[in-house]
Amino acid sequence: MDEGYLEKFLSLFDEYDVLAAFWVNIQLSLYAAVIALVIGTVLAVMRISPVPSLRWAGATYVTLLRNTPLTIIIVFCVLGLWGQLGLTLSSDFQTNFFRLAVLGLAVYHAAFVCEALRSGVNTVPVGQAEAARAIGLGFWSAARLVILPQAFRGAVAPLGNVLIALIKNSTVAAAGSVAETSGLMRTMIEFRPDVIFAIFLTFAVGYVIIVVPVGLATTSLSRRLAVAR
Amino acid sequence: MSELVLFDVPGPRTRRRMAVVNVLAVLAVAALGAWALVLLDRKGQLAADLWQPFLASSTWVDYLLPGLRDTLRAAGLAIVASAVFGLVFGLGRLSGSRVVRWLSGTVVEFFRAVPVLLMMIFFYQGISQLRVVEPRDVPLLAVVLALTLYNGSVFAELVRSGVHNLPRGQREAALAVGLRPAQSLRLVEVPQALIAMLPALASQLVVILKDTALGAIITYPELLDASRRFGSGNGNILQSLLVAALVFIVINYALTSFAQRLASQVGRHTAGAAKAEAPPLVVAARADR
């Protein structure tokens, strides 16, 4: 690698705003994570509830969404919801695509959040639920006051895994015409094929830098929050 | 069995109340479905001629089946290649040499942290640039390479965590009967770890199959790409995407159920803990070490 290579590579950063592209992915992930957490929690409560039809509906949602490729869901949001059914989430063209992608990412990852929470529920000993019932709590109070708070703490590690997957999957928003990292990388390589390796490494290392701290943080958080038993 | 401990076996009054909630829930779902159908109908999406093409054999013979074939081809190649990659780097992570361990560890952690789509685009553009492969083979190669690097790393991690989850006595016994550490690994630990990890391997196949759909972004003519082409040609993109999703769901659901059945069977035949769960991602894996 001569000096010219480095210079050629560095000059790219004047032309293309790599950080802005990463910022789009981070925003996609954050919004989608919040919505997915809400939908996923509702699904998890449905799946552990005593009502068979709710359990069935939750299980069906998880099975359907988990087994569909995310790419299809994102394409469906843009070509189907917007293109065919005319669903607009914003009057601004670009914001509309962004929000549709957030919607797709959120409904897909909600299924995984639900599964993570269920694994958290499994960390709560049976005796806890029995004790909750013994003092006269119904399902809803037992779930809200006893089971779910502990389940959330037990589910931090798997939820962290879902968040990591979500951050990486936010690149699929490219299939929904959102200008983010994978699209920018493609453009940069197209115009500067001479420094293809450096460009790829830039983006790859960018994801390592984002993903690894999230993993470290959720791992240490899950140890700290773990309910001592 | 979490769902059975949160509430008592319902008595007659609760059963009656539950029946009411059940009926209400069914009505709510039905109403939601009806509302969706009305909306779809208002947009003209329920017109028979938009759905009829999927009953015609030419749709399947010309578009969907070739798409499915290319999906399965990419997935199959990626599965074989990632198995080899995973075994090599999984053993590398367990190797006695610190350099080999570090090197394999870095490779595995790196490829698990990088989005598969970035790798796919990189290989797609990189290989086209080299001009050593027929242009029409480039997308397939890029899809398979990217899937192999990611899923191979996951497999490597499975091999490692499988060996770590074995009871310690296995290795001690192997060393006690005079095997060398490398022999113990090869003859005793890895075979057992692989059996224990079979269900997780099977459920990882679902991930590979789903991720082939990323190939549509780099013009690989798999199922999603085929259905999109068919849909935009016939003005029924919504219906085409639904049919493609349905095909994926049926195949993946079969694979998932197979993995779960395998987990309950395998559990009885191995000293390690069998899991049907996909392996933990990146750093979190270290929690259970």
Side-chain angles (χ1 to χ4, degrees):
Chain A
M1 254 181 237
D2 54 322
E3 208 175 311
Y5 188 91
L6 194 67
E7 257 166 39
K8 273 195 282 185
F9 168 60
L10 286 178
S11 71
L12 277 175
F13 288 91
D14 301 331
E15 240 175 289
Y16 300 100
D17 199 345
V18 177
L19 284 181
F22 270 106
W23 180 232
V24 174
N25 284 84
I26 292 172
Q27 280 180 307
L28 279 169
S29 311
L30 283 181
Y31 288 125
V34 172
I35 303 173
L37 191 64
V38 174
I39 306 177
T41 309
V42 173
L43 286 171
V45 173
M46 281 168 74
R47 291 201 69 176
I48 59 171
S49 85
V51 184
S53 60
L54 292 183
R55 281 209 301 269
W56 181 84
T60 309
Y61 180 96
V62 171
T63 307
L64 290 184
L65 271 290
R66 218 165 49 145
N67 289 320
T68 312
L70 176 61
T71 327
I72 289 199
I73 296 174
I74 302 273
V75 169
F76 180 84
C77 281
V78 171
L79 293 184
L81 292 184
W82 177 71
Q84 298 271 303
L85 301 178
L87 177 79
T88 36
L89 298 176
S90 167
S91 50
D92 178 55
F93 203 60
Q94 287 305 320
T95 319
N96 187 37
F97 283 140
F98 178 87
R99 291 189 182 162
L100 286 167
V102 167
L103 177 70
L105 287 168
V107 294
Y108 176 75
H109 289 91
F112 295 90
V113 169
C114 170
E115 291 306 278
L117 283 178
R118 279 215 316 154
S119 78
V121 170
N122 283 330
T123 66
V124 183
V126 181
Q128 299 261 340
E130 285 170 353
R133 292 205 311 267
I135 59 170
L137 297 181
F139 164 75
W140 180 236
S141 329
R144 194 166 46 93
L145 298 171
V146 180
I147 309 294
L148 281 181
Q150 298 186 67
F152 266 108
R153 295 170 71 156
V156 170
L159 282 176
N161 287 335
V162 176
L163 181 61
I164 289 173
L166 170 55
I167 293 171
K168 295 196 294 170
N169 280 339
S170 67
T171 50
V172 182
S177 320
V178 178
E180 47 70 69
T181 44
S182 64
L184 181 66
M185 186 185 87
R186 185 178 217 159
T187 318
M188 285 170 74
I189 294 178
E190 227 157 78
F191 287 100
R192 299 298 301 278
D194 49 330
V195 285
I196 176 167
F197 274 103
I199 295 173
F200 172 66
L201 269 185
T202 307
F203 284 97
V205 169
Y207 275 95
V208 174
I209 292 173
I210 298 174
V211 160
V212 170
V214 172
L216 284 172
T218 50
T219 308
S220 86
L221 200 65
S222 76
R223 283 210 200 99
R224 206 136 46 92
L225 289 182
V227 184
R229 295 194 174 100
Chain B
M1 281 283 124
S2 60
E3 56 261 29
L4 289 181
V5 304
L6 281 175
F7 43 84
D8 282 308
V9 175
R13 208 173 65 173
T14 319
R15 270 213 298 275
R16 243 175 292 135
R17 210 183 307 154
M18 244 153 63
V20 174
V21 178
N22 260 336
V23 170
L24 288 180
V26 168
L27 284 179
V29 171
L32 210 65
W35 178 63
L37 283 180
V38 168
L39 280 189
L40 283 174
D41 189 38
R42 208 174 287 163
K43 299 278 179 188
Q45 294 293 345
L46 293 183
D49 53 336
L50 292 181
W51 295 90
Q52 236 145 27
F54 299 104
L55 297 176
S57 65
S58 62
T59 308
W60 290 87
V61 173
D62 296 340
Y63 285 92
L64 299 179
L65 289 182
L68 183 60
R69 186 196 59 209
D70 284 353
T71 288
L72 294 178
R73 175 186 293 159
L77 289 172
I79 287 166
V80 175
S82 8
V84 175
F85 183 98
L87 214 54
V88 169
F89 281 89
L91 288 174
R93 293 208 81 169
L94 296 163
S95 145
S97 145
R98 189 181 299 173
V99 180
V100 174
R101 266 206 315 268
W102 182 85
L103 210 68
S104 330
T106 312
V107 167
V108 166
E109 297 288 0
F110 177 78
F111 286 119
R112 289 204 309 160
V114 178
V116 180
L117 181 59
L118 281 190
M119 293 195 250
M120 244 180 231
I121 293 175
F122 167 68
F123 285 124
Y124 175 59
Q125 292 177 310
I127 297 171
S128 340
Q129 225 184 85
L130 291 176
R131 295 175 203 288
V132 285
V133 186
E134 284 274 316
R136 74 193 152 90
D137 291 335
V138 173
L140 173 67
L141 203 57
V143 169
V144 172
L145 268 176
L147 289 180
T148 299
L149 289 179
Y150 173 67
N151 295 288
S153 299
V154 175
F155 284 167
E157 212 45 27
L158 275 174
V159 170
R160 191 181 67 130
S161 74
V163 168
H164 278 286
N165 281 339
L166 286 177
R168 288 185 47 151
Q170 302 280 330
R171 184 181 180 82
E172 284 167 6
L175 297 179
V177 296
L179 295 184
R180 275 175 280 116
Q183 279 179 315
S184 152
L185 197 64
R186 204 179 63 231
L187 298 174
V188 179
E189 294 167 76
V190 168
Q192 290 203 66
L194 282 182
I195 293 172
M197 288 297 126
L198 265 185
L201 289 174
S203 72
Q204 191 65 21
L205 300 188
V206 173
V207 176
I208 297 182
L209 207 67
K210 280 200 302 185
D211 279 355
T212 55
L214 290 170
I217 299 174
I218 57 163
T219 71
Y220 179 62
E222 47 69 70
L223 184 54
L224 168 59
D225 188 65
S227 71
R228 203 165 53 178
R229 268 182 290 127
F230 178 76
S232 51
N234 287 268
N236 58 352
I237 188 82
L238 201 73
Q239 292 74 7
S240 307
L241 288 176
L242 279 179
V243 170
L246 214 61
V247 174
F248 269 108
I249 289 170
V250 168
I251 299 176
N252 288 334
Y253 181 69
L255 271 176
T256 313
S257 334
F258 170 70
Q260 268 154 7
R261 249 213 336 270
L262 205 61
S264 61
Q265 270 175 14
V266 160
R268 278 176 267 131
H269 299 294
T270 168
K275 280 187 241 157
E277 277 286 287
L281 270 141
V282 195
V283 193
R286 288 182 186 153
D288 53 21
R289 191 157 55 176

